[in-house]
Amino acid sequence: VCGLDEAGRGPLAGPVVASAVILDPNNIPDGLHDSKQLTAARREVLFELIMATADVAIASVSAAAIDRTNILRASLEAMRRAASSLQRPPHFALIDGRDVAPGLPCPAKALIKGDARALSIAAASIIAKVTRDRMMSAASHHYPGYGFELHAGYGTVHHRNAIAELGPCAIHRMTFRPLRKD
């Protein structure tokens, strides 16, 4: 069974990142929980443990692709790519949320609040969140002044002020308010 989750549906900038994780039932890291309930330091520790003990695949969809489709389609596409990239094809997938990604390599079930209900989804949430946070921190070097290393592209006051001062950059989602021009 693989768990699937994504990170980055709500931010104004950056990609949406999905992860697929098949845990080793004989070596499950202690403390797996919804990534939003963990400190950044604990997520980093669990990230390393999951990567060392599980079959993991990660996929992302860019801000430009999000703008071409929409955030739901982009999230589901990232999940499909992640599940399809696992070394071992999954027999079944558990997905955090309401929707099952089309084109998965196996049958699947969506679970609302799945990251709190299934360890494999919790592991996927940690991998996706840490990966996306690292991507946004790296983006801060290419696009200084926005504070991506601090807020990961979410619509904080600091980020909105930076957009007002600097204008949007190449990784902003132009179809998201307040960037969208109606």
Side-chain angles (χ1 to χ4, degrees):
V1 172
C2 92
L4 285 166
D5 200 3
E6 52 70 30
R9 282 183 67 151
L12 303 177
V16 63
V17 176
S19 172
V21 176
I22 300 174
L23 292 169
D24 175 353
N26 298 314
N27 196 3
I28 296 175
D30 287 332
L32 289 182
H33 202 341
D34 172 11
S35 64
K36 295 177 287 300
Q37 303 298 320
L38 301 169
T39 66
R42 187 67 184 141
R43 283 192 301 265
E44 287 286 340
V45 168
L46 285 167
F47 177 94
E48 297 302 330
L49 291 171
I50 296 163
M51 293 298 287
T53 61
D55 186 358
V56 176
I58 303 164
S60 66
V61 172
S62 71
I66 293 166
D67 284 343
R68 281 193 302 274
T69 60
N70 64 46
I71 189 60
L72 175 60
R73 285 188 185 136
S75 297
L76 296 175
E77 174 60 15
M79 285 189 222
R80 184 198 64 76
R81 290 179 190 174
S84 297
S85 297
L86 287 164
Q87 284 186 324
R88 293 180 290 150
H91 297 292
F92 195 82
L94 295 173
I95 302 172
D96 184 44
R98 297 179 187 273
D99 301 296
V100 172
L104 288 174
C106 62
K109 180 177 181 172
L111 296 175
I112 295 171
K113 298 197 183 296
D115 45 8
R117 297 170 62 193
L119 291 177
S120 61
I121 296 175
S125 78
I126 292 164
I127 297 297
K129 173 77 171 135
V130 170
T131 299
R132 187 175 189 288
D133 286 354
R134 289 177 179 179
M135 291 170 83
M136 293 307 292
S137 184
S140 72
H141 300 293
H142 298 286
Y143 306 102
Y146 293 97
F148 293 137
E149 74 282 6
L150 303 172
H151 54 65
Y154 284 89
T156 64
V157 171
H158 177 269
H159 188 191
R160 288 174 188 260
N161 289 341
I163 293 168
E165 181 181 326
L166 302 170
C169 72
I171 65 168
H172 276 102
R173 300 174 183 177
M174 299 307 295
T175 55
F176 279 45
R177 290 185 200 272
L179 298 161
R180 183 171 78 198
K181 304 289 186 223
D182 291 325

